[in-house]
Amino acid sequence: HMIYKHRERKEWHKKVLPFLGKLPDAEIARCVDVGVAQIRKMRTAMKIERFTKAKALEDVEAKETKKKR
């Protein structure tokens, strides 16, 4: 796992945006070395649904369908 330290740690908000809802909150938190509650609070404030395996599979299937068209 990659963990951001020092100056980069202060900029974790920007780094996690693309991953909110696409990975478990705990995994994102571990990568940027912050508490899960901070990630969850940020995600919910942005009205992004939490990651689920079912949602991830739906997203993959939707992308595959688009490729076939």
Side-chain angles (χ1 to χ4, degrees):
H1 298 287
M2 182 181 218
I3 297 178
Y4 295 103
K5 295 286 186 186
H6 311 294
R7 187 180 70 78
E8 286 189 357
R9 188 173 189 273
K10 295 177 185 176
E11 299 170 5
W12 67 266
H13 292 86
K14 292 177 188 174
K15 294 179 187 284
V16 302
L17 285 174
F19 305 104
L20 295 176
K22 295 181 178 149
L23 291 173
D25 293 346
E27 186 66 27
I28 297 169
R30 194 170 17 262
C31 288
V32 292
D33 196 29
V34 299
V36 177
Q38 289 179 276
I39 300 296
R40 187 177 304 119
K41 182 178 179 181
M42 182 179 180
R43 180 180 50 75
T44 56
M46 298 178 78
K47 297 183 180 0
I48 297 173
E49 292 183 28
R50 69 181 177 89
F51 169 84
T52 63
K53 288 181 183 177
K55 178 76 170 110
L57 287 173
E58 286 175 17
D59 291 346
V60 168
E61 289 172 358
K63 286 179 184 176
E64 290 297 318
T65 301
K66 284 183 180 179
K67 284 182 183 178
K68 292 179 181 178
R69 291 183 184 178

